[in-house]
Amino acid sequence: MSLDVSPALLAQAENGEVGEADFIDTVRASLPYAYRVVAGLSTELGTTAEEFVDDNTTPTDAERAQLLRALASNAIRGSLENHFGVKLAFVNCHRVAAFRPGAEQTDTYREFTSLRTQILNQTPELRSC
């Protein structure tokens, strides 16, 4: 299970739309490592003129699992992007980057998310991540 959903949030979902703030609070509580990584990247991106910033820290297995759950879900990933005002990119099982919204059309974004970059970011110790 990706998220620890409270009875109140479940009831909200059963009765209609879920509020974005309530969902983000659940993500923050359920996936704290992933939330902190994205929050940190968002803050760092706001302090630089670079096209993107990335976190290439090798996390623990539990932390890696949080990143995978957060970034594999369109709803979670999209909510994090909306909340922090970034476009996320993900390579391997731990290299997360934050770009400015709209960056998907840039050469830098396309290179970061390319097949070539995926291959170059492979290492034997990360094979089963």
Side-chain angles (χ1 to χ4, degrees):
M1 185 161 62
S2 295
L3 300 174
D4 297 321
V5 178
S6 70
L9 187 60
L10 180 58
Q12 192 180 73
E14 289 171 341
N15 291 314
E17 289 295 312
V18 173
E20 184 89 16
D22 295 328
F23 187 72
I24 282 294
D25 285 343
T26 299
V27 171
R28 181 185 307 119
S30 301
L31 305 170
Y33 177 77
Y35 185 92
R36 280 193 313 272
V37 168
V38 176
L41 289 171
S42 164
T43 298
E44 186 179 349
L45 186 62
T47 66
T48 184
E50 297 296 324
E51 291 184 65
F52 75 95
V53 295
D54 65 330
D55 183 306
N56 201 17
T57 305
T58 303
T60 67
D61 286 344
E63 292 167 339
R64 181 180 298 119
Q66 286 187 34
L67 286 175
L68 291 171
R69 289 195 309 271
L71 297 171
S73 164
N74 288 346
I76 297 171
R77 183 184 193 145
S79 290
L80 287 167
E81 288 175 334
N82 290 339
H83 181 71
F84 289 108
V86 297
K87 176 64 179 168
L88 297 172
F90 192 47
V91 176
N92 226 348
C93 56
H94 65 280
R95 187 175 179 205
V96 183
F99 289 80
R100 289 176 178 75
E104 302 90 329
Q105 306 309 314
T106 67
D107 290 340
T108 303
Y109 180 87
R110 285 193 294 269
E111 176 61 25
F112 188 90
T113 59
S114 72
L115 303 177
R116 176 181 177 271
T117 298
Q118 181 68 44
I119 295 299
L120 293 174
N121 278 269
Q122 299 301 296
T123 62
E125 61 271 7
L126 297 175
R127 178 147 186 176
S128 66
C129 70

